[in-house]
Amino acid sequence: QVQLVESGGGLVQAGGSLRLSCAASGRIFSSYAMGWFRQSPGKGREFVASINWSGGATYYAESVKGRFTISRDNVKSTVYLQMNSLKPEDTAIYSCAADTSGLAKIYSGSYYLPYWGQGTQVTVSS
């Protein structure tokens, strides 16, 4: 069983930055790929970024490429999402998830990730 807890959300003006953290319990965090997803009112869940087990491969949604950076610290069992140049359309609840395959990908269509955090709210004002 893996528990994921996100933190770092908040209210920021457009153009500002936030860093989200996702802390994982369990000793096998380092074998999992991790992903960040977001959901805003009236919209479905959207893939944001993912990172493989070692941190050597990352993937991003086109909408955040060049602005967001995903990283991980396997010693601290934590994955991060650095968000720069934030836009009002980035407003959403951001959640992290664990992929037990260890392989990062761009998640679209039908997929199953067994472990999810509760989410953290990010609000970007114009």
Side-chain angles (χ1 to χ4, degrees):
Q1 187 74 10
V2 175
Q3 290 186 324
L4 304 174
V5 179
E6 300 96 338
S7 61
L11 173 64
V12 63
Q13 288 187 332
S17 299
L18 282 174
R19 188 174 84 152
L20 305 183
S21 299
C22 171
S25 65
R27 293 175 293 175
I28 54 177
F29 169 83
S30 60
S31 67
Y32 292 166
M34 298 296 296
W36 283 98
F37 299 78
R38 66 187 182 186
Q39 187 163 15
S40 53
K43 294 186 178 180
R45 181 187 296 155
E46 176 187 16
F47 165 75
V48 176
S50 65
I51 188 167
N52 75 336
W53 66 274
S54 69
T58 57
Y59 298 88
Y60 297 92
E62 286 297 324
S63 59
V64 307
K65 198 173 290 185
R67 300 187 298 122
F68 292 10
T69 302
I70 189 171
S71 61
R72 66 188 297 157
D73 184 334
N74 285 344
V75 174
K76 295 182 178 180
S77 295
T78 301
V79 63
Y80 304 97
L81 185 68
Q82 178 67 45
M83 305 185 295
N84 298 329
S85 302
L86 282 161
K87 305 174 181 179
E89 51 263 44
D90 294 318
T91 295
I93 296 174
Y94 285 71
S95 300
C96 62
D99 187 336
T100 57
S101 75
L103 303 176
K105 59 179 69 74
I106 294 175
Y107 296 90
S108 63
S110 178
Y111 57 86
Y112 172 71
L113 299 177
Y115 304 114
W116 289 84
Q118 82 290 349
T120 185
Q121 177 71 48
V122 171
T123 303
V124 184
S125 63
S126 58

mmCIF file of all heavy atoms in Angstrom, residues 7-44:
data_model
loop_
_atom_site.group_PDB
_atom_site.id
_atom_site.type_symbol
_atom_site.label_atom_id
_atom_site.label_comp_id
_atom_site.label_asym_id
_atom_site.label_seq_id
_atom_site.Cartn_x
_atom_site.Cartn_y
_atom_site.Cartn_z
ATOM 1 N N SER A 7 1.225 18.738 -1.400
ATOM 2 C CA SER A 7 1.270 20.017 -0.694
ATOM 3 C C SER A 7 1.843 21.058 -1.641
ATOM 4 O O SER A 7 2.392 20.725 -2.703
ATOM 5 C CB SER A 7 2.108 19.921 0.583
ATOM 6 O OG SER A 7 3.436 19.563 0.272
ATOM 7 N N GLY A 8 1.723 22.324 -1.249
ATOM 8 C CA GLY A 8 2.333 23.400 -2.022
ATOM 9 C C GLY A 8 1.374 24.208 -2.867
ATOM 10 O O GLY A 8 1.786 25.190 -3.496
ATOM 11 N N GLY A 9 0.119 23.811 -2.909
ATOM 12 C CA GLY A 9 -0.839 24.579 -3.683
ATOM 13 C C GLY A 9 -1.140 25.916 -3.017
ATOM 14 O O GLY A 9 -0.712 26.185 -1.901
ATOM 15 N N GLY A 10 -1.866 26.754 -3.738
ATOM 16 C CA GLY A 10 -2.232 28.053 -3.187
ATOM 17 C C GLY A 10 -2.730 28.991 -4.249
ATOM 18 O O GLY A 10 -3.036 28.582 -5.370
ATOM 19 N N LEU A 11 -2.798 30.271 -3.875
ATOM 20 C CA LEU A 11 -3.257 31.330 -4.773
ATOM 21 C C LEU A 11 -2.052 32.129 -5.239
ATOM 22 O O LEU A 11 -1.230 32.555 -4.420
ATOM 23 C CB LEU A 11 -4.245 32.235 -4.032
ATOM 24 C CG LEU A 11 -4.704 33.500 -4.771
ATOM 25 C CD1 LEU A 11 -5.489 33.130 -6.023
ATOM 26 C CD2 LEU A 11 -5.538 34.368 -3.839
ATOM 27 N N VAL A 12 -1.928 32.316 -6.541
ATOM 28 C CA VAL A 12 -0.805 33.059 -7.104
ATOM 29 C C VAL A 12 -1.308 33.890 -8.276
ATOM 30 O O VAL A 12 -2.280 33.525 -8.934
ATOM 31 C CB VAL A 12 0.308 32.079 -7.549
ATOM 32 C CG1 VAL A 12 -0.173 31.159 -8.666
ATOM 33 C CG2 VAL A 12 1.579 32.816 -7.933
ATOM 34 N N GLN A 13 -0.642 35.005 -8.519
ATOM 35 C CA GLN A 13 -1.000 35.837 -9.664
ATOM 36 C C GLN A 13 -0.439 35.246 -10.946
ATOM 37 O O GLN A 13 0.566 34.523 -10.931
ATOM 38 C CB GLN A 13 -0.468 37.248 -9.474
ATOM 39 C CG GLN A 13 -1.198 38.052 -8.416
ATOM 40 C CD GLN A 13 -0.762 39.496 -8.379
ATOM 41 O OE1 GLN A 13 0.364 39.830 -8.720
ATOM 42 N NE2 GLN A 13 -1.663 40.373 -7.967
ATOM 43 N N ALA A 14 -1.085 35.572 -12.033
ATOM 44 C CA ALA A 14 -0.597 35.131 -13.337
ATOM 45 C C ALA A 14 0.856 35.569 -13.515
ATOM 46 O O ALA A 14 1.225 36.689 -13.161
ATOM 47 C CB ALA A 14 -1.467 35.702 -14.447
ATOM 48 N N GLY A 15 1.654 34.651 -14.058
ATOM 49 C CA GLY A 15 3.074 34.907 -14.222
ATOM 50 C C GLY A 15 3.916 34.448 -13.059
ATOM 51 O O GLY A 15 5.153 34.416 -13.156
ATOM 52 N N GLY A 16 3.276 34.090 -11.966
ATOM 53 C CA GLY A 16 3.988 33.641 -10.782
ATOM 54 C C GLY A 16 4.363 32.172 -10.839
ATOM 55 O O GLY A 16 4.157 31.490 -11.853
ATOM 56 N N SER A 17 4.910 31.683 -9.725
ATOM 57 C CA SER A 17 5.406 30.309 -9.633
ATOM 58 C C SER A 17 4.916 29.637 -8.365
ATOM 59 O O SER A 17 4.651 30.304 -7.359
ATOM 60 C CB SER A 17 6.936 30.294 -9.642
ATOM 61 O OG SER A 17 7.465 30.834 -10.831
ATOM 62 N N LEU A 18 4.803 28.331 -8.453
ATOM 63 C CA LEU A 18 4.527 27.492 -7.294
ATOM 64 C C LEU A 18 5.303 26.196 -7.463
ATOM 65 O O LEU A 18 5.555 25.762 -8.597
ATOM 66 C CB LEU A 18 3.035 27.160 -7.179
ATOM 67 C CG LEU A 18 2.075 28.212 -6.621
ATOM 68 C CD1 LEU A 18 0.644 27.707 -6.741
ATOM 69 C CD2 LEU A 18 2.396 28.560 -5.180
ATOM 70 N N ARG A 19 5.631 25.560 -6.358
ATOM 71 C CA ARG A 19 6.219 24.220 -6.414
ATOM 72 C C ARG A 19 5.349 23.283 -5.597
ATOM 73 O O ARG A 19 5.178 23.470 -4.390
ATOM 74 C CB ARG A 19 7.649 24.184 -5.884
ATOM 75 C CG ARG A 19 8.298 22.826 -6.124
ATOM 76 C CD ARG A 19 9.758 22.775 -5.744
ATOM 77 N NE ARG A 19 9.953 22.510 -4.329
ATOM 78 C CZ ARG A 19 11.016 21.912 -3.831
ATOM 79 N NH1 ARG A 19 11.991 21.514 -4.638
ATOM 80 N NH2 ARG A 19 11.138 21.729 -2.527
ATOM 81 N N LEU A 20 4.830 22.282 -6.257
ATOM 82 C CA LEU A 20 4.045 21.259 -5.596
ATOM 83 C C LEU A 20 4.947 20.103 -5.184
ATOM 84 O O LEU A 20 5.912 19.778 -5.875
ATOM 85 C CB LEU A 20 2.947 20.744 -6.519
ATOM 86 C CG LEU A 20 1.992 21.783 -7.113
ATOM 87 C CD1 LEU A 20 0.919 21.074 -7.940
ATOM 88 C CD2 LEU A 20 1.391 22.652 -6.049
ATOM 89 N N SER A 21 4.598 19.490 -4.070
ATOM 90 C CA SER A 21 5.303 18.303 -3.592
ATOM 91 C C SER A 21 4.311 17.176 -3.397
ATOM 92 O O SER A 21 3.150 17.410 -3.056
ATOM 93 C CB SER A 21 6.010 18.581 -2.269
ATOM 94 O OG SER A 21 6.970 19.604 -2.394
ATOM 95 N N CYS A 22 4.777 15.983 -3.601
ATOM 96 C CA CYS A 22 3.974 14.784 -3.369
ATOM 97 C C CYS A 22 4.848 13.814 -2.595
ATOM 98 O O CYS A 22 5.793 13.229 -3.148
ATOM 99 C CB CYS A 22 3.515 14.189 -4.691
ATOM 100 S SG CYS A 22 2.738 12.554 -4.554
ATOM 101 N N ALA A 23 4.542 13.647 -1.325
ATOM 102 C CA ALA A 23 5.317 12.767 -0.463
ATOM 103 C C ALA A 23 4.666 11.395 -0.405
ATOM 104 O O ALA A 23 3.455 11.284 -0.202
ATOM 105 C CB ALA A 23 5.417 13.361 0.926
ATOM 106 N N ALA A 24 5.478 10.364 -0.582
ATOM 107 C CA ALA A 24 4.968 9.000 -0.610
ATOM 108 C C ALA A 24 5.443 8.201 0.587
ATOM 109 O O ALA A 24 6.579 8.351 1.044
ATOM 110 C CB ALA A 24 5.420 8.306 -1.888
ATOM 111 N N SER A 25 4.560 7.365 1.086
ATOM 112 C CA SER A 25 4.950 6.407 2.112
ATOM 113 C C SER A 25 5.318 5.108 1.422
ATOM 114 O O SER A 25 4.979 4.880 0.263
ATOM 115 C CB SER A 25 3.803 6.169 3.091
ATOM 116 O OG SER A 25 2.720 5.548 2.411
ATOM 117 N N GLY A 26 5.997 4.234 2.126
ATOM 118 C CA GLY A 26 6.329 2.962 1.519
ATOM 119 C C GLY A 26 7.755 2.924 1.012
ATOM 120 O O GLY A 26 8.297 3.932 0.569
ATOM 121 N N ARG A 27 8.346 1.749 1.047
ATOM 122 C CA ARG A 27 9.766 1.610 0.739
ATOM 123 C C ARG A 27 10.055 1.423 -0.736
ATOM 124 O O ARG A 27 11.211 1.418 -1.131
ATOM 125 C CB ARG A 27 10.348 0.435 1.521
ATOM 126 C CG ARG A 27 10.373 0.667 3.024
ATOM 127 C CD ARG A 27 10.846 -0.588 3.748
ATOM 128 N NE ARG A 27 9.871 -1.659 3.611
ATOM 129 C CZ ARG A 27 10.082 -2.882 4.064
ATOM 130 N NH1 ARG A 27 11.223 -3.191 4.629
ATOM 131 N NH2 ARG A 27 9.154 -3.810 3.924
ATOM 132 N N ILE A 28 9.028 1.236 -1.546
ATOM 133 C CA ILE A 28 9.283 0.938 -2.954
ATOM 134 C C ILE A 28 8.936 2.106 -3.858
ATOM 135 O O ILE A 28 8.733 1.936 -5.051
ATOM 136 C CB ILE A 28 8.536 -0.328 -3.410
ATOM 137 C CG1 ILE A 28 7.025 -0.210 -3.096
ATOM 138 C CG2 ILE A 28 9.129 -1.541 -2.756
ATOM 139 C CD1 ILE A 28 6.240 -1.381 -3.594
ATOM 140 N N PHE A 29 8.907 3.315 -3.300
ATOM 141 C CA PHE A 29 8.633 4.504 -4.098
ATOM 142 C C PHE A 29 9.599 4.582 -5.264
ATOM 143 O O PHE A 29 9.226 4.946 -6.367
ATOM 144 C CB PHE A 29 8.755 5.740 -3.214
ATOM 145 C CG PHE A 29 8.754 7.034 -3.979
ATOM 146 C CD1 PHE A 29 7.570 7.608 -4.374
ATOM 147 C CD2 PHE A 29 9.955 7.683 -4.296
ATOM 148 C CE1 PHE A 29 7.555 8.809 -5.080
ATOM 149 C CE2 PHE A 29 9.956 8.877 -4.992
ATOM 150 C CZ PHE A 29 8.746 9.438 -5.387
ATOM 151 N N SER A 30 10.855 4.240 -5.024
ATOM 152 C CA SER A 30 11.883 4.415 -6.043
ATOM 153 C C SER A 30 11.674 3.517 -7.256
ATOM 154 O O SER A 30 12.314 3.726 -8.293
ATOM 155 C CB SER A 30 13.271 4.171 -5.452
ATOM 156 O OG SER A 30 13.351 2.859 -4.941
ATOM 157 N N SER A 31 10.797 2.550 -7.176
ATOM 158 C CA SER A 31 10.547 1.676 -8.323
ATOM 159 C C SER A 31 9.341 2.118 -9.142
ATOM 160 O O SER A 31 9.066 1.551 -10.198
ATOM 161 C CB SER A 31 10.336 0.238 -7.861
ATOM 162 O OG SER A 31 9.134 0.129 -7.116
ATOM 163 N N TYR A 32 8.629 3.131 -8.665
ATOM 164 C CA TYR A 32 7.409 3.577 -9.335
ATOM 165 C C TYR A 32 7.677 4.779 -10.231
ATOM 166 O O TYR A 32 8.445 5.661 -9.873
ATOM 167 C CB TYR A 32 6.347 3.995 -8.319
ATOM 168 C CG TYR A 32 5.766 2.878 -7.493
ATOM 169 C CD1 TYR A 32 5.016 3.156 -6.354
ATOM 170 C CD2 TYR A 32 5.949 1.549 -7.832
ATOM 171 C CE1 TYR A 32 4.465 2.152 -5.585
ATOM 172 C CE2 TYR A 32 5.402 0.536 -7.072
ATOM 173 C CZ TYR A 32 4.658 0.837 -5.948
ATOM 174 O OH TYR A 32 4.108 -0.156 -5.193
ATOM 175 N N ALA A 33 6.996 4.839 -11.357
ATOM 176 C CA ALA A 33 6.886 6.086 -12.096
ATOM 177 C C ALA A 33 5.831 6.937 -11.385
ATOM 178 O O ALA A 33 4.946 6.403 -10.709
ATOM 179 C CB ALA A 33 6.478 5.833 -13.538
ATOM 180 N N MET A 34 5.947 8.246 -11.529
ATOM 181 C CA MET A 34 5.017 9.150 -10.879
ATOM 182 C C MET A 34 4.458 10.151 -11.895
ATOM 183 O O MET A 34 5.163 10.547 -12.834
ATOM 184 C CB MET A 34 5.711 9.910 -9.755
ATOM 185 C CG MET A 34 6.248 9.034 -8.638
ATOM 186 S SD MET A 34 4.945 8.163 -7.737
ATOM 187 C CE MET A 34 4.059 9.550 -7.011
ATOM 188 N N GLY A 35 3.223 10.513 -11.676
ATOM 189 C CA GLY A 35 2.609 11.475 -12.581
ATOM 190 C C GLY A 35 1.857 12.550 -11.825
ATOM 191 O O GLY A 35 1.425 12.337 -10.684
ATOM 192 N N TRP A 36 1.750 13.706 -12.460
ATOM 193 C CA TRP A 36 0.894 14.786 -11.964
ATOM 194 C C TRP A 36 -0.269 14.955 -12.934
ATOM 195 O O TRP A 36 -0.071 14.948 -14.164
ATOM 196 C CB TRP A 36 1.671 16.097 -11.869
ATOM 197 C CG TRP A 36 2.591 16.191 -10.694
ATOM 198 C CD1 TRP A 36 3.942 15.961 -10.670
ATOM 199 C CD2 TRP A 36 2.229 16.540 -9.351
ATOM 200 N NE1 TRP A 36 4.425 16.154 -9.409
ATOM 201 C CE2 TRP A 36 3.412 16.504 -8.566
ATOM 202 C CE3 TRP A 36 1.025 16.887 -8.721
ATOM 203 C CZ2 TRP A 36 3.407 16.800 -7.206
ATOM 204 C CZ3 TRP A 36 1.030 17.172 -7.374
ATOM 205 C CH2 TRP A 36 2.216 17.139 -6.628
ATOM 206 N N PHE A 37 -1.442 15.134 -12.377
ATOM 207 C CA PHE A 37 -2.661 15.331 -13.140
ATOM 208 C C PHE A 37 -3.426 16.512 -12.539
ATOM 209 O O PHE A 37 -3.172 16.898 -11.387
ATOM 210 C CB PHE A 37 -3.541 14.071 -13.085
ATOM 211 C CG PHE A 37 -2.884 12.860 -13.667
ATOM 212 C CD1 PHE A 37 -1.924 12.151 -12.947
ATOM 213 C CD2 PHE A 37 -3.203 12.419 -14.937
ATOM 214 C CE1 PHE A 37 -1.300 11.034 -13.484
ATOM 215 C CE2 PHE A 37 -2.592 11.301 -15.483
ATOM 216 C CZ PHE A 37 -1.640 10.616 -14.754
ATOM 217 N N ARG A 38 -4.333 17.070 -13.306
ATOM 218 C CA ARG A 38 -5.128 18.177 -12.774
ATOM 219 C C ARG A 38 -6.568 18.072 -13.267
ATOM 220 O O ARG A 38 -6.831 17.467 -14.307
ATOM 221 C CB ARG A 38 -4.529 19.526 -13.155
ATOM 222 C CG ARG A 38 -4.550 19.835 -14.640
ATOM 223 C CD ARG A 38 -3.778 21.120 -14.921
ATOM 224 N NE ARG A 38 -3.803 21.505 -16.325
ATOM 225 C CZ ARG A 38 -3.115 22.513 -16.830
ATOM 226 N NH1 ARG A 38 -2.309 23.243 -16.042
ATOM 227 N NH2 ARG A 38 -3.198 22.794 -18.116
ATOM 228 N N GLN A 39 -7.446 18.649 -12.498
ATOM 229 C CA GLN A 39 -8.850 18.663 -12.862
ATOM 230 C C GLN A 39 -9.460 19.981 -12.415
ATOM 231 O O GLN A 39 -9.318 20.374 -11.256
ATOM 232 C CB GLN A 39 -9.601 17.488 -12.238
ATOM 233 C CG GLN A 39 -11.026 17.357 -12.721
ATOM 234 C CD GLN A 39 -11.630 16.003 -12.430
ATOM 235 O OE1 GLN A 39 -11.097 15.226 -11.627
ATOM 236 N NE2 GLN A 39 -12.730 15.681 -13.085
ATOM 237 N N SER A 40 -10.112 20.640 -13.331
ATOM 238 C CA SER A 40 -10.810 21.887 -13.018
ATOM 239 C C SER A 40 -12.303 21.668 -13.175
ATOM 240 O O SER A 40 -12.727 20.695 -13.818
ATOM 241 C CB SER A 40 -10.314 23.018 -13.932
ATOM 242 O OG SER A 40 -10.414 22.632 -15.288
ATOM 243 N N PRO A 41 -13.123 22.537 -12.578
ATOM 244 C CA PRO A 41 -14.574 22.352 -12.609
ATOM 245 C C PRO A 41 -15.103 22.228 -14.031
ATOM 246 O O PRO A 41 -14.764 23.014 -14.913
ATOM 247 C CB PRO A 41 -15.095 23.618 -11.924
ATOM 248 C CG PRO A 41 -13.995 24.021 -11.010
ATOM 249 C CD PRO A 41 -12.735 23.700 -11.755
ATOM 250 N N GLY A 42 -15.910 21.204 -14.254
ATOM 251 C CA GLY A 42 -16.527 21.009 -15.553
ATOM 252 C C GLY A 42 -15.639 20.329 -16.573
ATOM 253 O O GLY A 42 -16.054 20.107 -17.709
ATOM 254 N N LYS A 43 -14.419 19.994 -16.161
ATOM 255 C CA LYS A 43 -13.500 19.333 -17.082
ATOM 256 C C LYS A 43 -13.073 17.986 -16.528
ATOM 257 O O LYS A 43 -13.097 17.754 -15.321
ATOM 258 C CB LYS A 43 -12.266 20.201 -17.323
ATOM 259 C CG LYS A 43 -12.543 21.512 -18.046
ATOM 260 C CD LYS A 43 -11.227 22.224 -18.351
ATOM 261 C CE LYS A 43 -11.482 23.516 -19.126
ATOM 262 N NZ LYS A 43 -10.192 24.212 -19.424
ATOM 263 N N GLY A 44 -12.655 17.115 -17.399
ATOM 264 C CA GLY A 44 -12.145 15.823 -16.970
ATOM 265 C C GLY A 44 -10.723 15.932 -16.476
ATOM 266 O O GLY A 44 -10.073 16.977 -16.586
#
